[in-house]
Amino acid sequence: LKTLGKPETDVGEINSRLSDLRERKAELETQVNELQSLIQFNENMLDGEGEVARPTDLGAETEGELTAQLLNDKITCWTCGSAVDPDQIESTVEQLRERSRSKVGEVDQLEHEIEELQSEKREIKQARRDRERIEQRLNELDTEIQTTEEAIDDLRSRRERLTGEIERIEDTIDELENDAYDTVLDLQ
């Protein structure tokens, strides 16, 4: 039994680690979903599908100011309200995409770690089942050995008793033969 050893890692430790990883994964997935929503919103706004502040809503008081705003390649940022270059917004959206990809990569890594821990947990449980089965079989063999040794001891005792009995019978036969020989001689 000493050679079997015990699995070094406790299933409780693995369950705790799995719980932590799943929690972190859920947080990252929430962040990814939020980033995706933000990216989608910004893409829609850049494509003109979203509601953007119209020049008349921007405080332009004269037609000249309106025209200047329309001819300007700036877009009013829908998050902060300032005028920004469309390229700057696209750059920010690309940064959001990169951040989203990074988070997705982290989620993939966590999924890989979770799968490895689940596999390790299954292996530990299987090793424990195997160990229990082997220990049970060893106990059965110990019992069989003990029973066999007791039977051998009983047979040795019986053999000694029977050997003694045979020796007595042989002695009796020798005496009877001697008596019979003596009787035959007397008769002759």
Side-chain angles (χ1 to χ4, degrees):
L1 287 177
K2 292 179 183 175
T3 59
L4 292 177
K6 289 194 175 197
E8 292 179 17
T9 306
D10 182 24
V11 173
E13 292 174 23
I14 291 177
N15 284 338
S16 175
R17 180 77 176 127
L18 280 171
S19 177
D20 292 345
L21 289 174
R22 287 179 179 134
E23 186 176 315
R24 177 68 180 137
K25 180 183 170 206
E27 291 170 5
L28 286 172
E29 286 174 336
T30 299
Q31 291 175 10
V32 167
N33 288 336
E34 290 170 356
L35 284 169
Q36 290 298 326
S37 294
L38 187 58
I39 291 167
Q40 186 63 45
F41 172 79
N42 280 290
E43 286 174 342
N44 288 342
M45 294 302 280
L46 283 172
D47 292 342
E49 296 173 16
E51 290 186 26
V52 180
R54 294 180 304 261
T56 55
D57 296 337
L58 299 176
E61 296 180 11
T62 66
E63 281 185 37
E65 290 176 23
L66 281 176
T67 305
Q69 284 183 2
L70 289 173
L71 292 176
N72 187 351
D73 279 345
K74 303 264 185 206
I75 294 178
T76 301
C77 177
W78 38 88
T79 57
C80 67
S82 62
V84 292
D85 239 353
D87 291 342
Q88 189 176 1
I89 292 176
E90 287 176 10
S91 171
T92 301
V93 170
E94 186 54 40
Q95 289 174 357
L96 291 173
R97 283 187 195 112
E98 181 56 40
R99 180 113 172 113
S100 176
R101 284 189 290 270
S102 172
K103 295 287 182 188
V104 167
E106 288 181 51
V107 167
D108 290 344
Q109 179 61 33
L110 288 174
E111 285 176 353
H112 179 71
E113 286 182 48
I114 288 169
E115 288 172 12
E116 284 180 351
L117 283 175
Q118 287 173 330
S119 176
E120 184 178 343
K121 181 179 167 182
R122 282 188 299 272
E123 288 173 10
I124 288 171
K125 285 184 172 183
Q126 182 62 45
R128 284 186 178 168
R129 283 190 296 270
D130 291 346
R131 178 185 172 87
E132 288 170 5
R133 183 182 45 77
I134 290 169
E135 285 176 348
Q136 181 181 2
R137 181 64 182 137
L138 286 173
N139 288 335
E140 290 171 0
L141 289 173
D142 284 343
T143 302
E144 285 180 34
I145 289 170
Q146 185 177 359
T147 303
T148 303
E149 286 175 347
E150 289 171 0
I152 289 171
D153 288 343
D154 288 345
L155 290 172
R156 283 185 180 142
S157 296
R158 185 172 177 212
R159 183 183 69 190
E160 288 174 14
R161 198 176 59 248
L162 291 173
T163 301
E165 212 175 297
I166 289 171
E167 287 174 1
R168 280 190 304 273
I169 292 173
E170 286 177 346
D171 288 344
T172 304
I173 291 174
D174 285 345
E175 285 177 21
L176 288 175
E177 283 179 348
N178 286 338
D179 288 345
Y181 182 73
D182 289 341
T183 304
V184 170
L185 284 178
D186 287 341
L187 287 173
Q188 285 181 354

